[in-house]
Amino acid sequence: MTPTEGSRPLRAVFVAGTGTDVGKTVATAALLRALRGLGVAAQAVKPVQTGVAPATLCGDAISYAAAVADLAPVPGVPPAAVLRAFSLPASPQLAAAREGGRLTAADLASSIGEHWEGLAPGAGLLLLEAAGGLLAPLNAREGMIDLMAEVQAPVILVARNELGALNHALLSLEAVRARGLELAALVLVEPPRPVAEASGEAVLAENSRYLAEHLAAHWPQALFCRLPWGELSGPAGWQELAQVLLPLARALAETGSGSRAGDARPGVDLEARDHAALWHPYASATLLPPLETAARSHDNRIVLADGRELIDGMSSWWAAVHGYNHPRLNHALRAQSALMPHVMFGGLTHAPAVTLGERLLAAMPEGLERIFFADSGSVAVEVALKMALQCRQGRGERRRTRFLTPRGGYHGDTLGAMSVCDPVTGMHSLFAGMLPQQFFMERPSCRFDAPFDPAALDDARRILAEHGDEVAAVILEPVVQGAGGMWFYHPDYLRGLADLCRRAGALLIFDEIATGFGRTGRFFAAEWAGVTPDILCCGKALTGGVLTLAATACTAEVAEDICRGGRVFMHGPTFMGNPLACAVASASLDILEENRWQAQVARLERGLAEGLAPCRNFPDVADVRALGAIGVVEMTAPVNGPRLQRFFVERGVWIRPFGRLIYLMPPYITPPEDVARLCAAVVDALAADAWRLPD
Ligand SMILES: *Cc1c(COP(=O)(O)O)cnc(C)c1O
């Protein structure tokens, strides 16, 4: 939902049943009466009504109107409304399909928003009565609960007191919890008396006691109400029910039940609190960086606190390859959290780590045979450097303590990793004296898409000839140098380098933290060259962008050398092999396979190459390139990051340039029209000169 500037924030609450026929409509109508009795200009709304002939007042709306028939009308706020009506008495999905329509949570949410805007300004609250149970389908992918999540209104859950009520109520509460929705109340509707033999008064009393206790323990903010079976004979009957719901009506009137999605500018306060308390990546704490407040995310979209949706062009720094809130990843997370969120990895093992380790080794270049799990990319790089150093010690080569790496690299922000980052963009001068001194060679100069020039290896050859016996290992990002300049170089460079390393006795470390999991068009970028390194790091997209996890793999030979003579490898993060992260990572590997990532990435490469091509026509553009799911526009001078960020957000896209680079690396699931919009926004930014720094 996208509230327009200056619109009133939506105030709404959803009334949902634990099933059909539980007394939801009666509860909604009684609550409407209680609210109107308190002077709140409430309206009961069926966003979707099935089983009726379309008319203004149809289906449940007739009950709503009847419940307040004797109360004074509120001008401009009729008691009831139906937004979408279908004649088939079935689930919304079926009923809509029968009439050739398709319902989506987003469309219904905007209908609700528009409906609210159309009411008189005095309107106080919408009671949105859901159709059927929480998971009643709207379409093949979404259910009623997705509409609730879209609107972000609190939920009143209505259950009927009968045999089986506990199971239905508890399942529904779990669903509410899983979507991060707020529960305003649980209303237990009593059956007509006398009750059937099977239920029995004792069962009903026990149900009620159990639910009251469960609510107090797990949902302390929510109210528990028991609604007696009403003989709905006119105003007196309705008044009796309304009286029972009065405490709930008061609570709703007091808190106002603003939909979290509709607040005027809910992000403003958060931004101020953020500025007072937090630090952001590579940012000043005193010169404040521009911030947007992200509230939710789905598919390839980031939803801001004010309801605006941005098309994501960054995959949250290479990570969210399947987009956001992928149901399978979220499910893996929940399922594992119910079993065991974490245990120490010292002395203990578990299925999520073993399974993931085996699968990673199977996917990595042939010859890598052992996995060490770390909790972030930088730590995985530290682990790789330490593996190389301990390997040398195991071999008795104590002179080999330094690393050789190309300029323009990026390997993380911890001290060891920083020492092998590009000395200029890595700001080595800031930490001079602290950082270990490494050898730097020329950046691999030969473009990915040009014929290979063997001279590109001259500098590596020279340094290895001079200092080869001091070098423990050569470390580099294969094929794509990421944060150091988004540079794509020729795979033959890696073949030549691997050969030089072998001759010089130096180990070869590939940092695939950015390039892994298909981003460059190969599962690991090492495959472009057919080279197996001695050590390989991966991370970032490993969990599909859900949790932090990284892994360092090495060959059997490296492992044996490290452990020679009973030695051990000296590293062990507290959260090593975290079961949640490992379970999500395995699910992410499944999704990559099922989605056929090769086709997704190939489609993105074509879309990015085509969409960014017009950038070549601008005089300040130095280069335009695309490889796999990465598209880059390199300018001749540094760009104005904050200004561009604002420009892009205004155009509904999330792109974060740095240095001289405006680049895109969208989630693999990005549809072609969104790739086109991302590229068009970059072209627009150049056309509007929005990239320029002030003189
Ligand atoms: C991001 C990155 C790292 C560091 O990973 P973190 O998880 O941010 O610590 C290391 N190497 C490369 C190539 C990266 O892109």
Side-chain angles (χ1 to χ4, degrees):
M1 183 170 31
T2 331
T4 45
E5 197 66 35
S7 66
R8 290 174 305 140
L10 173 65
R11 290 150 84 88
V13 57
F14 260 101
V15 185
T18 57
T20 48
D21 264 344
V22 293
K24 181 161 55 71
T25 302
V26 170
T28 307
L31 185 56
L32 174 68
R33 183 177 176 99
L35 283 161
R36 290 214 159 191
L38 289 174
V40 178
Q43 182 183 62
V45 176
K46 281 292 275 206
V48 184
Q49 172 84 58
T50 61
V52 294
T56 332
L57 221 56
C58 57
D60 299 334
I62 297 172
S63 303
Y64 307 151
V68 295
D70 60 315
L71 303 185
V74 181
V77 188
V82 171
L83 303 186
R84 309 286 293 276
F86 300 98
S87 55
L88 190 73
S91 78
Q93 177 197 7
L94 255 181
R98 179 63 58 90
E99 290 171 32
R102 185 171 180 275
L103 296 168
T104 69
D107 288 348
L108 284 171
S110 36
S111 300
I112 291 168
E114 282 161 24
H115 175 74
W116 171 252
E117 295 288 321
L119 293 176
L125 183 70
L126 295 185
L127 295 176
L128 301 163
E129 187 186 339
L134 289 168
L135 300 186
L138 288 176
N139 57 54
R141 285 188 54 200
E142 298 175 307
M144 217 10 104
I145 199 161
D146 295 296
L147 172 59
M148 299 180 186
E150 186 83 17
V151 176
Q152 289 280 301
V155 176
I156 296 170
L157 188 66
V158 181
R160 188 184 174 99
N161 198 359
E162 60 192 358
L163 198 63
L166 289 185
N167 178 50
H168 285 137
L170 296 176
L171 281 173
S172 299
L173 288 173
E174 282 235 13
V176 169
R177 173 88 76 204
R179 295 306 162 106
L181 296 171
E182 190 184 314
L183 184 74
L186 175 65
V187 177
L188 190 63
V189 180
E190 297 296 333
R193 295 311 201 260
V195 293
E197 193 60 32
S199 298
E201 288 293 346
V203 171
L204 301 192
E206 172 57 18
N207 281 352
S208 173
R209 188 200 61 75
Y210 186 95
L211 286 176
E213 212 168 86
H214 180 86
L215 226 58
H218 298 281
W219 302 86
Q221 316 295 341
L223 290 177
F224 179 64
C225 320
R226 282 178 78 173
L227 197 63
W229 183 260
E231 286 303 328
L232 296 177
S233 51
W238 282 114
Q239 186 53 34
E240 204 177 306
L241 295 184
Q243 204 64 32
V244 176
L245 295 181
L246 208 53
L248 174 56
R250 280 213 189 87
L252 293 176
E254 273 162 25
T255 61
S257 285
S259 150
R260 278 178 275 163
D263 289 359
R265 279 281 286 149
V268 169
D269 179 44
L270 266 186
E271 283 159 34
R273 282 161 54 199
D274 176 293
H275 280 329
L278 305 184
W279 219 308
H280 280 263
Y282 312 105
S284 163
T286 51
L287 276 176
L288 305 176
L291 285 180
E292 301 296 335
T293 300
R296 290 178 300 129
S297 56
H298 66 91
D299 303 286
N300 65 323
R301 304 300 170 98
I302 297 168
V303 186
L304 300 183
D306 60 11
R308 281 180 297 169
E309 277 205 12
L310 305 182
I311 297 173
D312 177 36
M314 307 307 297
S315 299
S316 286
W317 281 336
W318 312 86
V321 287
H322 310 301
Y324 299 90
N325 295 47
H326 194 290
R328 295 267 297 284
L329 298 182
N330 283 1
H331 174 80
L333 183 60
R334 279 201 295 275
Q336 184 56 42
S337 76
L339 284 179
M340 179 172 71
H342 183 70
V343 285
M344 62 189 285
F345 211 53
L348 294 172
T349 191
H350 44 75
V354 175
T355 304
L356 177 63
E358 289 171 350
R359 294 184 67 176
L360 285 176
L361 290 176
M364 282 177 178
E366 182 91 38
L368 292 167
E369 293 183 25
R370 195 162 288 274
I371 292 274
F372 188 99
F373 284 117
D375 36 20
S376 75
S378 303
V379 173
V381 168
E382 298 290 339
V383 165
L385 301 179
K386 285 170 72 172
M387 276 182 178
L389 292 172
Q390 278 199 250
C391 173
R392 279 14 275 234
Q393 287 177 12
R395 292 183 191 175
E397 300 167 321
R398 297 190 165 270
R399 242 176 82 73
R400 289 186 181 268
T401 57
R402 296 175 70 184
F403 293 90
L404 169 61
T405 188
R407 293 178 183 275
Y410 175 78
H411 299 284
D413 295 339
T414 51
L415 286 170
M418 260 202 303
S419 77
V420 286
C421 287
D422 182 87
V424 178
T425 60
M427 302 245 247
H428 284 201
S429 54
L430 279 180
F431 307 100
M434 260 302 288
L435 291 184
Q437 294 298 298
Q438 316 292 14
F439 296 113
F440 291 93
M441 56 190 176
E442 263 172 28
R443 180 172 97 161
S445 54
C446 195
R447 292 180 70 95
F448 183 90
D449 53 6
F452 183 65
D453 176 2
L457 285 158
D458 286 352
D459 208 34
R461 189 178 294 108
R462 178 183 62 79
I463 295 175
L464 283 171
E466 274 173 37
H467 302 284
D469 56 348
E470 293 168 65
V471 172
V474 174
I475 178 169
L476 80 171
E477 300 151 275
V479 179
V480 173
Q481 287 188 312
M486 305 300 286
W487 172 244
F488 313 150
Y489 63 87
H490 204 288
D492 279 357
Y493 178 90
L494 294 172
R495 276 190 277 272
L497 185 66
D499 195 47
L500 290 176
C501 284
R502 205 172 312 117
R503 286 161 202 250
L507 296 174
L508 182 59
I509 303 173
F510 281 177
D511 178 350
E512 295 243 22
I513 290 166
T515 49
F517 308 102
R519 181 59 70 174
T520 70
R522 295 285 186 271
F523 199 76
F524 285 104
E527 293 168 29
W528 282 111
V531 169
T532 298
D534 301 283
I535 299 173
L536 183 149
C537 306
C538 65
K540 286 200 164 114
L542 174 54
T543 65
V546 173
L547 282 171
T548 173
L549 182 70
T552 307
C554 69
T555 60
E557 203 186 346
V558 168
E560 278 158 24
D561 287 338
I562 290 171
C563 303
R564 187 160 292 164
R567 286 193 185 84
V568 296
F569 180 56
M570 284 307 289
H571 207 96
T574 305
F575 286 95
M576 183 166 179
N578 176 252
L580 290 175
C582 289
V584 174
S586 274
S588 175
L589 293 178
D590 290 339
I591 300 169
L592 280 171
E593 247 169 63
E594 286 161 25
N595 281 355
R596 303 198 301 130
W597 62 268
Q598 297 92 331
Q600 291 181 316
V601 171
R603 191 166 47 68
L604 280 174
E605 182 176 274
R606 284 193 299 275
L608 291 169
E610 251 170 56
L612 293 177
C615 296
R616 293 207 170 84
N617 302 331
F618 294 89
D620 299 298
V621 169
D623 188 34
V624 178
R625 49 187 180 261
L627 177 66
I630 316 167
V632 181
V633 178
E634 183 171 340
M635 308 302 295
T636 51
V639 302
N640 188 335
R643 184 170 164 205
L644 276 172
Q645 176 171 322
R646 275 192 302 273
F647 180 91
F648 288 134
V649 168
E650 272 163 27
R651 268 159 191 73
V653 296
W654 181 244
I655 303 172
R656 230 180 108 82
F658 74 89
R660 291 186 290 121
L661 303 164
I662 306 174
Y663 67 104
L664 299 172
M665 40 192 196
Y668 299 171
I669 53 138
T670 307
E673 61 273 19
D674 285 355
V675 178
R677 278 186 60 185
L678 286 166
C679 294
V682 175
V683 177
D684 286 352
L686 299 184
D689 246 7
W691 67 279
R692 239 179 253 284
L693 288 165
D695 295 324

